[in-house]
């Protein structure tokens, strides 16, 4: 409210009103450039985006751009891979047979009571054997190995038989699995022959050799006792300790191979002679009969020929060619007198020679 003022005349009132209007007009004219700059600055403060929001928008934009570039590169790679794979063909390394060239049937006879008939399943790989022993026959189903077109073709192993005598996973309460075996590491002739065979395999194709077993562990397994109870193991150990036999020389005079149950690993083997096979099979069958007589079921009777493992190789190792060469270069691996065998940490000898 304006303060009350006493005017002496109407003319004074009019003059006062004119002066007030002039003051209002002067206020409008006082908007200098400095005041306009201040107004603009205040406007910018109100509408300008916060720095944090701008940073987040920049990051999101960069990520979207990176994603688009990655998708474009991935699609280009897939197109190039499709073009390349469509031009691939199955190749057979030099010196290797193609699947259609594999023998239809190969027979390996190691003794009158033990024979192996190997039938190839061309054009797939994994020739398997049907085994016949003096105690009956055991047919082994045929397995195959699929070969991708972009990888080298595996070597044939037509002379190999299929299967092994390894113990399976045993149920609870029947976890006792062990073997009896002939230890060979103390026979210098056999050890030297094994070293020669490994030198040949290294010269042929060492890159596809999976494993050479330690020389101190060289052995020939006799019995595979699988999945027994503690009481059954005690009875089997008693049977092993009550054996008697006439010691005799056994000879390793052949080379063969065995395809493992996983259809991947191939075992390169030295085999005993025919007469040595017969001799050891008679010995092992007698142990199995004695174990059965004690009321223990033999879960895994011996089926494979007696052998010595030289090396473990894969499907790309030239197995057949190497077996032939080892036959030629090492006709006899060695001989030894079978007058003792072992099971776990104990050594057993014939009763009458103790």
């Amino acid at each position: 409210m304006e303060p009350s003022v006493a005017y002496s005349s109407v003319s004074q009132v009019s003059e006062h009103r004119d002066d007030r209007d002039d003051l209002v007009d002067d206020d409008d004219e006082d908007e200098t450039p400095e005041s306009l700059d201040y107004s603009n600055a205040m406007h910018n403060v109100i509408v300008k985006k916060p720095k944090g929001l701008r940073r987040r928008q920049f990051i999101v934009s960069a990520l979207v751009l990176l994603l688009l570039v990655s998708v474009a590169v991935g699609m280009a790679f897939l197109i190039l891979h499709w073009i390349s794979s469509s031009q691939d063909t199955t190749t057979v390394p030099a010196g290797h047979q193609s699947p259609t060239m594999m023998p239809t049937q190969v027979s390996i006879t190691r003794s009158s009571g033990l024979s192996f008939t190997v039938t190839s399943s061309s054009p797939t790989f994994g020739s398997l054997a049907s085994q016949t022993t003096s105690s009956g026959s055991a047919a082994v189903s045929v397995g195959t190995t699929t070969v991708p077109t972009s990888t080298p073709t595996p070597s044939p192993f037509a002379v190999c038989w299929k299967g092994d005598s390894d113990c399976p996973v045993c149920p609870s309460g029947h976890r006792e699995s062990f073997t009896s075996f002939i230890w060979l590491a103390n026979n210098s002739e056999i050890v030297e022959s094994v070293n020669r065979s490994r030198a040949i395999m290294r010269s042929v194709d060492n890159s596809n050799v999976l494993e050479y077993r330690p020389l101190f562990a060289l052995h020939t397994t006799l019995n595979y006792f699988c999945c027994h109870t503690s009481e059954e193991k005690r009875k089997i150990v008693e049977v092993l300790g009550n054996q008697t036999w006439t010691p005799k020389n056994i000879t390793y005079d052949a080379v063969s191979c065995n395809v493992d149950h996983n259809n991947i690993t191939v075992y390169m083997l030295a085999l005993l002679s025919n007469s040595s096979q017969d001799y050891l099979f008679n010995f092992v069958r007698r142990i199995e009969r004695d174990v059965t007589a004690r009321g223990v079921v033999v879960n895994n009777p011996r089926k494979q020929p007696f052998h010595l493992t030289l090396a473990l190789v894969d499907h790309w190792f030239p197995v057949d060619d190497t077996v032939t060469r080892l036959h030629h270069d090492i006709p006899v691996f060695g001989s030894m007198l079978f007058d003792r065998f072992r099971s776990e940490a104990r050594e057993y000898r014939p009763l009458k020679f103790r």
Side-chain angles (χ1 to χ4, degrees):
M1 177 181 295
E2 295 182 1
S4 61
V5 178
Y7 299 101
S8 59
S9 64
V10 174
S11 60
Q12 288 181 334
V13 173
S14 177
E15 289 175 0
H16 176 76
R17 288 177 178 174
D18 292 340
D19 292 340
R20 188 177 59 182
D21 293 338
D22 291 340
L23 289 175
V24 173
D25 293 339
D26 291 342
D27 290 341
D28 294 338
E29 294 173 358
D30 287 342
E31 290 187 359
T32 62
E34 291 78 4
S35 63
L36 291 176
D37 292 340
Y38 175 77
S39 299
N40 293 334
M42 290 302 295
H43 174 75
N44 290 337
V45 169
I46 295 173
V47 301
K48 193 173 183 179
K49 297 178 181 178
K51 290 184 179 180
L53 177 60
R54 286 187 296 164
R55 185 179 297 107
R56 286 195 294 272
Q57 288 179 338
F58 174 77
I59 294 174
V60 170
S61 300
L63 290 176
V64 171
L65 179 61
L66 180 62
L67 178 61
L68 292 175
V69 172
S70 300
V71 171
V73 172
M75 292 183 66
F77 175 78
L78 291 174
I79 293 172
L80 291 175
H81 179 72
W82 177 79
I83 294 173
S84 175
S85 61
S86 64
Q87 296 175 348
D88 283 347
T89 56
T90 303
T91 58
V92 180
H96 291 187
Q97 294 177 322
S98 66
T100 56
M101 295 171 61
M102 291 178 63
T104 302
Q105 191 174 56
V106 178
S107 296
I108 305 173
T109 302
R110 299 303 299 131
S111 70
S112 58
L114 181 65
S115 63
F116 301 90
T117 302
V118 183
T119 304
S120 67
S121 52
S122 180
T124 56
F125 295 89
S127 305
L128 310 179
S130 174
Q131 302 178 359
T132 304
T133 67
S134 57
S135 63
S137 61
V140 184
S141 60
V142 173
T144 60
T145 301
T146 303
V147 184
T149 58
S150 59
T151 60
T153 302
S155 297
F157 35 89
V159 299
C160 301
W161 75 86
K162 166 74 176 182
D164 58 40
S165 299
D166 294 341
C167 293
V169 178
C170 301
S172 177
H174 294 75
R175 298 292 176 84
E176 297 292 346
S177 296
F178 58 104
T179 65
S180 63
F181 60 92
I182 306 171
W183 189 53
L184 304 174
N186 59 347
N187 186 292
S188 59
E189 181 185 13
I190 294 175
V191 170
E192 180 182 355
S193 296
V194 170
N195 280 328
R196 287 178 58 198
S197 71
R198 293 177 176 180
I200 292 173
M201 285 185 279
R202 278 191 287 266
S203 67
V204 170
D205 183 9
N206 195 51
S207 62
N208 288 309
V209 175
L210 302 177
E211 180 184 356
Y212 296 111
R213 295 283 174 82
L215 291 175
F216 68 82
L218 292 177
H219 69 279
T220 292
T221 302
L222 297 173
N223 299 93
Y224 295 89
F225 298 112
C226 299
C227 303
H228 292 286
T229 65
S230 298
E231 177 61 18
E232 289 173 343
K233 180 178 180 179
R234 184 188 66 79
K235 294 179 179 180
I236 293 172
V237 170
E238 289 180 356
V239 169
L240 296 178
N242 289 318
Q243 294 301 309
T244 184
W245 71 94
T246 301
K248 179 180 178 180
N249 279 325
I250 55 175
T251 302
Y252 296 84
D253 70 346
V255 179
S256 187
C257 49
N258 164 239
V259 183
D260 195 16
H261 65 276
N262 62 19
N263 213 32
I264 297 174
T265 308
V266 181
Y267 291 79
M268 302 295 293
L269 310 172
L271 298 182
L272 284 166
S273 65
N274 291 342
S275 60
S276 298
Q277 295 281 352
D278 288 338
Y279 172 69
L280 286 186
F281 261 109
N282 288 332
F283 176 77
V284 167
R285 292 290 180 257
R286 183 168 63 249
I287 291 178
E288 292 175 351
R289 288 194 299 269
D290 292 348
V291 168
T292 302
R294 294 293 303 272
V296 178
V297 176
V298 179
N299 298 323
N300 193 15
R302 180 82 198 199
K303 297 183 180 69
Q304 288 189 350
F306 296 97
H307 58 269
L308 159 65
T309 299
L310 303 174
L312 280 66
V313 302
D314 62 22
H315 280 199
W316 282 263
F317 186 85
V319 174
D320 286 5
D321 293 343
T322 305
V323 167
T324 301
R325 180 173 173 182
L326 290 175
H327 268 302
H328 179 269
D329 292 357
I330 313 177
V332 176
F333 273 74
S335 300
M336 66 173 296
L337 180 66
F338 175 58
D339 63 348
R340 67 195 67 193
F341 67 92
R342 297 187 179 193
S343 180
E344 297 182 320
R346 183 177 175 183
E347 183 178 85
Y348 299 89
R349 302 189 67 183
L351 281 174
K352 64 181 180 181
F353 291 99
R354 295 176 190 175

